Amino acid sequence: MTENRKAEHLRICLTEDVQAKKVTTGFEDVHLVHKAVPEFGLGDVDTSISMFGEELRAPIIIEAMTGGTPDALKINSNLAEAAEHFGLAMGVGSQRAALETPRLIDTFRVVREKGPNIFLVANLGLPQIVANNGVEAAESAVEMIKADALAIHLNSLQEAIQREGETEFHNSLERIGEVVSRLSVPVIVKETGAGIAMEDVRLLSQTGVKAIDVGGAGGTSWAAVESYREAGLKHRLGVTFWDWGVPTAISVAEAASSTDLKVIASGGLRTGVDVCKAVCLGASAAGLAYPLLKPADVGQLDHALGILIEEFRTSMFLIGAKNVVDLEQRPIVITGKMAEWLRLRGLSPEAYARRQKSHD
Ligand SMILES: Cc1cc2nc3c(=O)[nH]c(=O)nc-3n(C[C@H](O)[C@H](O)[C@H](O)COP(=O)(O)O)c2cc1C
């Protein structure tokens, strides 16, 4: 049952090691260039952005995590209060459980109650969109929480490893296109830890979606999570595919270079410096999930998010960016495996290093 599975996922993420082990995000190969003469004060730094016409106080999204199990009520309530307080966007976890079992709707609705003004993203998996009543399910998910956008999550890795996984993805692009044309809110497509490469970004761009959330490798691994729930062959698959996917920073660079859509960076971002690097690579905003789960469970989100935002503001100051738009023009140096990957894919790490030289 979806409800039990969601409770198990929460328990596993709160108690076991579910982070990538060998694959890294690639942000370690992205170097911000220090600006020793900023010519403005730290207090002048403006971290705000506009996302689909709504203002966020920083380009930070609390990524989709939970709902659909009684334990999720407190976590979602705390996340929404913090998103409201800090002026950040927030996604809920997959709403499938509540569509199947209406008594669970409150575990999602609490988010709109506690966060009346937040940019709120509804969530359903691609398998539910591909199913016969996909469009109706998408409309109900948005309506349930008065969402400002819908995220359709891509999780073929997880479904392939889960014993009850749904691995039927025929006509995915067509069905995503149908949902886009029927919904009154923008649709975001997001991966959940395996990244999205440029070829898929181009295909997805043609469906009418408004943003791509890369959900890259290097952070929470859903192969890892499922490996704890499985035995035998499926457990073995979870271990083998633990580090599968396109690293997050690489995925952001690939996506940003192949579409004009908004790109959201997520998967393994752990500090405000990572957020700054992601925006310099071309992301419009950056999302974090796992680092906020425990703080949400124990009521310490103000501390965790306060640090994250100050790290981001300080990074901006130290590279001479007064506002978030400036970040797109700051030079960054890409080295090591990431530089090699980008070159092999026909992209130019040099272009990032040389941009806006005349500005300085
Ligand atoms: C406990 C937990 C539950 C999650 N549930 C969902 C979900 O229901 N829908 C979804 O799109 N992503 C879900 N995710 C994936 C995150 O949104 C995110 O893509 C992924 O965890 C990578 O980010 P991170 O490394 O910061 O955790 C979940 C993540 C966690 C940690």
Side-chain angles (χ1 to χ4, degrees):
M1 212 172 121
T2 310
E3 179 182 356
N4 295 342
R5 194 164 62 237
K6 289 288 145 190
E8 276 181 53
H9 286 156
L10 262 190
R11 182 189 56 76
I12 290 168
C13 287
L14 281 166
T15 57
E16 305 285 356
D17 177 7
V18 296
Q19 297 301 290
K21 285 194 199 312
K22 294 189 191 122
V23 68
T24 54
T25 56
F27 285 117
E28 68 282 3
D29 284 336
V30 179
H31 308 275
L32 300 173
V33 180
H34 178 64
K35 186 149 173 54
V37 191
E39 302 240 55
F40 57 86
L42 179 59
D44 297 323
V45 173
D46 176 6
T47 60
S48 68
I49 62 158
S50 161
M51 178 126 158
F52 299 123
E54 296 212 22
E55 178 163 331
L56 306 187
R57 271 191 260 148
I60 295 175
I61 302 174
I62 298 174
E63 286 277 325
M65 271 190 282
T66 198
T69 159
D71 292 343
L73 189 79
K74 174 184 77 178
I75 292 176
N76 267 345
S77 165
N78 287 346
L79 288 170
E81 261 177 15
E84 181 82 19
H85 175 70
F86 286 100
L88 307 178
M90 173 179 169
V92 295
S94 170
Q95 289 164 261
R96 176 186 181 180
L99 294 178
E100 289 170 1
T101 313
R103 81 180 147 73
L104 298 171
I105 286 176
D106 285 351
T107 66
F108 291 98
R109 278 212 179 124
V110 67
V111 173
R112 195 35 111 197
E113 281 158 35
K114 300 285 179 178
N117 300 302
I118 61 182
F119 186 89
L120 183 55
V121 186
N123 190 290
L124 277 180
L126 185 56
Q128 284 74 65
I129 297 298
V130 170
N132 284 336
N133 59 351
V135 172
E136 290 72 23
E139 287 171 337
S140 304
V142 169
E143 174 54 30
M144 186 189 297
I145 56 170
K146 307 277 180 254
D148 301 292
L150 170 75
I152 298 176
H153 71 254
L154 315 178
N155 65 343
S156 52
L157 170 62
Q158 180 186 16
E159 299 287 351
I161 285 165
Q162 203 175 80
R163 100 189 69 106
E164 60 277 60
E166 290 171 32
T167 49
E168 176 47 65
F169 291 105
H170 281 98
N171 305 322
S172 299
L173 293 166
E174 196 184 325
R175 301 310 305 271
I176 292 172
E178 265 171 50
V179 169
V180 168
S181 65
R182 292 273 295 276
L183 282 195
S184 55
V185 296
V187 174
I188 301 167
V189 171
K190 82 180 273 287
E191 239 293 345
T192 47
I196 306 183
M198 61 168 96
E199 293 81 359
D200 283 337
V201 170
R202 288 194 196 107
L203 291 172
L204 288 164
S205 301
Q206 291 162 19
T207 62
V209 299
K210 294 284 187 289
I212 308 276
D213 181 339
V214 303
T220 305
S221 160
W222 281 91
V225 175
E226 294 301 344
S227 78
Y228 290 100
R229 298 181 59 238
E230 301 294 346
L233 172 67
K234 290 289 190 185
H235 169 76
R236 176 60 199 261
L237 286 175
V239 172
T240 304
F241 288 90
W242 190 294
D243 289 295
W244 180 266
V246 183
T248 300
I250 291 175
S251 194
V252 170
E254 289 211 1
S257 66
S258 46
T259 179
D260 291 332
L261 300 179
K262 283 190 187 306
V263 174
I264 298 166
S266 71
L269 280 84
R270 297 296 175 256
T271 68
V273 181
D274 291 339
V275 173
C276 189
K277 289 180 179 181
V279 178
C280 288
L281 282 170
S284 300
L288 291 84
Y290 181 80
L292 304 175
L293 180 61
K294 262 196 188 133
D297 193 41
V298 297
Q300 286 177 355
L301 275 170
D302 282 5
H303 182 68
L305 287 170
I307 291 173
L308 187 71
I309 293 167
E310 277 320 296
E311 288 170 342
F312 176 60
R313 185 194 311 281
T314 306
S315 310
M316 286 181 67
F317 176 57
L318 292 178
I319 63 171
K322 231 181 188 175
N323 55 54
V324 176
V325 176
D326 279 354
L327 289 178
E328 286 163 25
Q329 281 127 41
R330 303 310 302 158
I332 50 173
V333 179
I334 300 175
T335 59
K337 271 193 203 147
M338 179 161 170
E340 200 180 330
W341 175 304
L342 294 185
R343 278 195 202 102
L344 289 170
R345 300 278 281 165
L347 302 174
S348 163
E350 289 77 11
Y352 286 101
R354 292 189 189 138
R355 64 189 181 188
Q356 208 52 25
K357 258 192 164 168
S358 57
H359 176 80
D360 296 305

